[in-house]
Amino acid sequence: MPCLKPAELRFVHDHLTRWLWQYLFPLQFTLGVLGNILNLCVLASDETSNVASDLLTAVSFCDLAFLLVMLPHALSSYDILAFNDVFRFFYLKSKQHIAAIANWMSAAAIWLILAVSVERFLIIRSPLRSKLYWQRGRMVLVLSSIFFATGLLTLYHHFEYDCTLMEFCNGSQLIDFCYYAGEKHPRTFLKKELILPSEAKKLYMRIMTIFNAVLVVFAPILLVIILNMLMIRELHFNDKSILKFRESITTNQHRQRSRVTVTVIAIGLCFSLTQGPSAVMVIWELFAGYAHLGSTFYAIFR
């Protein structure tokens, strides 16, 4: 096999994606790790245990895991590692599974945020609920169910692409060729032999992509927005009830309810904005297919 040029061996080819990985991601990684560790310390030291704190602890764990598994992708953008034989072999063999775990942690965090929103709404409806703490068995069951369900939803990412490793330059250069596993594709660009996936596999990949779009992206965004609207409505309803029976609301009550309302709106807005790009990516996958995705688009929105 002929020898490849250094540019052909790079994992990240365009300048924008390389800049994002080399300069923006380290800042995001540092702030994310420190912030989530701080969250875990605060939540763990909270003397008053409650359901929301347990769920938020799980969210912080998912965020930490997500950032850690994304680290190899960022490191692959540096030439010193991209051209290293040991790192290159490890990364080419594991990058699809690393991406699958990242998608799993992201999906679990989304469902956990939805669970927090549900819990907040129930507390607003029944304030005495905040005094209750779920049994340990129920906590384990809920958290395990969320991780198990999201793991099943994102399982197909582990074999979403068929990848073949090839050696060039007398075995001194290693490169992979990946094609979407749900469609017929060549084994490598050098071989015209086509791999034809079974009808069952194509159907499974298509169904799981749709399920992933609905249950991991669209439904959580919609439900969080609806829950936030209901919480705001409930807060205003409670204010009117207090006015009816007490004739006035204290300044502290007004301030507290205003802060809660602003927090609720901020949560819904931030959640929708951060998950919106994922929705764009999923729509693109469903209707345009994988072959039309550019590497920059994929790196930004995935």
Side-chain angles (χ1 to χ4, degrees):
M1 288 287 186
C3 295
L4 300 175
K5 298 178 181 178
E8 296 174 310
L9 291 173
R10 290 192 177 100
F11 293 113
V12 181
H13 298 284
D14 61 280
H15 296 292
L16 174 58
T17 306
R18 188 178 300 112
W19 184 88
L20 291 173
W21 280 122
Q22 294 183 357
Y23 297 100
L24 185 60
F25 179 78
L27 177 62
Q28 179 188 12
F29 180 85
T30 303
L31 294 178
V33 169
L34 293 177
N36 282 291
I37 290 176
L38 180 61
N39 285 339
L40 289 174
C41 292
V42 171
L43 293 171
S45 63
D46 190 0
E47 296 180 357
T48 306
S49 299
N50 55 72
V51 177
S53 64
D54 291 340
L55 294 173
L56 290 173
T57 299
V59 171
S60 294
F61 168 79
C62 290
D63 287 343
L64 274 175
F66 177 84
L67 289 170
L68 291 174
V69 297
M70 290 299 290
L71 190 58
H73 292 308
L75 294 176
S76 69
S77 66
Y78 296 93
D79 288 349
I80 190 173
L81 290 175
F83 299 152
N84 180 276
D85 294 337
V86 176
F87 177 84
R88 189 174 189 85
F89 180 79
F90 160 77
Y91 182 68
L92 290 175
K93 278 289 189 179
S94 61
K95 66 177 182 178
Q96 183 169 203
H97 303 296
I98 291 173
I101 295 174
N103 284 321
W104 178 24
M105 292 297 101
S106 178
I110 290 171
W111 278 31
L112 288 166
I113 291 174
L114 177 59
V116 172
S117 298
V118 172
E119 178 64 18
R120 285 168 58 87
F121 175 69
L122 293 177
I123 288 176
I124 292 175
R125 290 289 302 271
S126 303
L128 293 178
R129 183 183 177 87
S130 61
K131 303 295 183 181
L132 302 177
Y133 183 67
W134 54 359
Q135 297 178 351
R136 186 173 184 83
R138 186 181 178 188
M139 175 187 68
V140 172
L141 178 62
V142 171
L143 295 180
S144 299
S145 298
I146 289 176
F147 280 101
F148 180 74
T150 52
L152 286 180
L153 283 172
T154 57
L155 181 65
Y156 76 101
H157 287 299
H158 285 280
F159 43 86
E160 191 173 11
Y161 291 90
D162 286 334
C163 296
T164 302
L165 295 182
M166 290 190 64
E167 295 180 346
F168 288 80
C169 200
N170 297 323
S172 63
Q173 296 177 336
L174 192 65
I175 195 170
D176 68 337
F177 297 92
C178 297
Y179 300 91
Y180 178 56
E183 300 173 352
K184 64 179 181 180
H185 57 272
R187 189 173 299 277
T188 68
F189 83 101
L190 295 175
K191 297 182 180 180
K192 296 182 179 180
E193 175 190 358
L194 292 178
I195 296 178
L196 301 176
S198 64
E199 291 299 323
K201 185 175 184 178
K202 289 193 291 186
L203 181 62
Y204 169 77
M205 298 294 287
R206 184 68 178 178
I207 290 176
M208 293 310 299
T209 302
I210 295 173
F211 277 9
N212 193 70
V214 174
L215 298 178
V216 177
V217 181
F218 298 116
I221 291 177
L222 181 61
L223 289 174
V224 168
I225 292 175
I226 292 175
L227 284 169
N228 286 337
M229 294 174 63
L230 290 175
M231 280 189 279
I232 294 173
R233 177 179 177 275
E234 195 68 24
L235 287 172
H236 286 298
F237 177 77
N238 289 344
D239 280 349
K240 291 181 179 179
S241 298
I242 294 175
L243 279 171
K244 181 178 179 181
F245 293 102
R246 293 189 178 181
E247 296 183 354
S248 64
I249 301 178
T250 65
T251 303
N252 288 335
Q253 286 176 321
H254 261 306
R255 289 177 179 175
Q256 183 178 4
R257 293 180 186 280
S258 297
R259 285 196 295 267
V260 172
T261 302
V262 171
T263 302
V264 167
I265 295 174
I267 290 174
L269 179 61
C270 292
F271 182 81
S272 301
L273 289 176
T274 54
Q275 296 305 316
S278 296
V280 173
M281 182 66 191
V282 168
I283 293 174
W284 189 281
E285 287 180 356
L286 288 174
F287 295 102
Y290 293 80
H292 301 87
L293 292 176
S295 58
T296 301
F297 184 89
Y298 187 85
I300 294 175
F301 291 106
R302 191 59 168 173

